[in-house]
Amino acid sequence: MSKKIYVGNLPWSATDEDVAELFSQHGDVISSRVITDRETGRSRGFGFVEMDESAANAAIEALNGVEMGGRALRVNEAQERKPRNSW
DNA sequence: GTTGAGCGTT
């Protein structure tokens, strides 16, 4: 199974790849996405990462507060946007 | 050529 992770306070220059590689250091990253403003195409400074449940928990604990590009990352379990049958 | 709390597209 997998779990969604919210990651905020990202530097403007951070990309999906940057987040993926950072999180992959603590587990297998299933998918990663940095949210960009669809109107301007610029980064909104936060994103989401999907990982295995245990890996996600480990990554949250390991990466929350870690500095990336001089900014302390906010890592937390994400709220799911589309609540789908998940059991 | 910018900005800074937040929970994203099918």
Side-chain angles (χ1 to χ4, degrees), chain A residues 12 16 31 39 45 66-67 75 80 83:
Chain A
W12 311 118
D16 304 330
S31 65
E39 298 180 2
V66 171
E67 287 190 9
V75 184
E80 195 165 338

Side-chain angles (χ1 to χ4, degrees), chain A residues 6-87:
Chain A
Y6 166 83
V7 45
N9 203 38
L10 290 169
W12 311 118
S13 55
T15 65
D16 304 330
E17 306 175 350
D18 296 324
V19 176
E21 292 193 28
L22 182 68
F23 278 74
S24 64
Q25 297 174 22
H26 297 276
D28 295 309
V29 175
I30 300 174
S31 65
S32 65
R33 183 174 303 184
V34 171
I35 306 305
T36 52
D37 193 303
R38 66 171 178 82
E39 298 180 2
T40 64
R42 294 172 193 156
S43 173
R44 282 196 185 176
F46 75 97
F48 295 91
V49 179
E50 186 175 6
M51 299 181 75
D52 178 87
E53 188 174 325
S54 59
N57 292 327
I60 292 171
E61 295 298 312
L63 297 176
N64 187 26
V66 171
E67 287 190 9
M68 178 188 249
R71 282 72 183 175
L73 267 41
R74 291 186 175 185
V75 184
N76 236 104
E77 183 177 343
Q79 308 173 197
E80 195 165 338
R81 180 180 164 281
K82 295 175 84 174
R84 202 168 290 196
N85 358 358
S86 55
W87 61 268

